[in-house]
Amino acid sequence: MQDRPTIDELLEAVAGYLRDDVMVNTTGRTNFHGRVAMNAVEMLRREISTIEDHYAREWDGLDHLLGVEPMPPHLAAMRESLLARNRSLSTRIREGDADSGDFRHQVVNHLRKVIHDKLVVRWGRAGESPKLLNGNTIDIDASVGVIADSQSVE
């Protein structure tokens, strides 16, 4: 059994290399791709550290909406089952089951919790450049607070 380095330590080392060596010593296309790679590694780190808890909370919420089902023991099976259960919920929403009443309130509360779980408030990182709704981009540094989801900074 190998205890060290952990997956997170390996990803942290790769992100650090990209941030501290590649990005500061390159320009243009190579710098841009270094930034993209660093952001992808950081996204992986965040997702790996939270995914099991997020899936468990989403599963619990779907149990309340769709009925209790046993949670699969493995992450890949859980992901597939969550997709199937969300398709079932989507079908019920399309059929009008959530148009009014108690079920509507339960669905809205569940969706708020699931979306909130996927948002992270953190300090910006040098090199982040989110695209605004008007099409402009801005540079972010460590003095700016940002809201991020599993895809990008908002």
Side-chain angles (χ1 to χ4, degrees):
M1 179 171 170
Q2 182 167 339
D3 295 331
R4 300 289 303 272
T6 65
I7 292 171
D8 187 61
E9 289 168 339
L10 290 169
L11 291 173
E12 181 181 29
V14 171
Y17 166 73
L18 292 166
R19 180 185 54 251
D20 301 333
D21 292 322
V22 173
M23 289 176 54
V24 297
N25 293 307
T26 61
T27 59
R29 187 170 191 263
T30 301
N31 184 275
F32 172 77
H33 286 290
R35 178 177 301 138
V36 169
M38 181 199 66
N39 286 334
V41 170
E42 290 293 348
M43 287 170 46
L44 285 170
R45 287 184 68 207
R46 284 191 301 275
E47 184 160 336
I48 288 170
S49 70
T50 61
I51 195 76
E52 290 183 30
D53 290 339
H54 288 187
Y55 281 1
R57 284 191 295 273
E58 185 171 359
W59 192 273
D60 183 59
L62 289 168
D63 276 350
H64 287 84
L65 293 172
L66 303 174
V68 176
E69 288 187 22
M71 190 180 331
H74 302 290
L75 200 55
M78 188 185 301
R79 181 175 26 254
E80 290 302 315
S81 294
L82 278 171
L83 289 171
R85 294 187 88 196
N86 278 307
R87 281 192 294 273
S88 295
L89 178 59
S90 296
T91 298
R92 288 192 63 185
I93 292 169
R94 273 192 304 278
E95 291 173 350
D97 291 355
D99 286 352
S100 62
D102 204 30
F103 187 68
R104 175 187 173 79
H105 295 292
Q106 292 172 355
V107 168
V108 169
N109 287 335
H110 168 73
L111 294 175
R112 280 189 182 131
K113 288 176 186 176
V114 169
I115 290 167
H116 178 74
D117 249 0
K118 295 178 182 179
L119 296 176
V120 176
V121 177
R122 62 172 171 77
W123 290 111
R125 296 190 181 103
E128 288 183 315
S129 299
K131 186 174 185 178
L132 303 177
L133 294 175
N134 65 6
N136 295 337
T137 59
I138 58 170
D139 290 328
I140 302 254
D141 62 35
S143 67
V144 176
V146 298
I147 298 173
D149 63 14
S150 61
Q151 305 295 313
S152 63
V153 172
E154 296 293 323

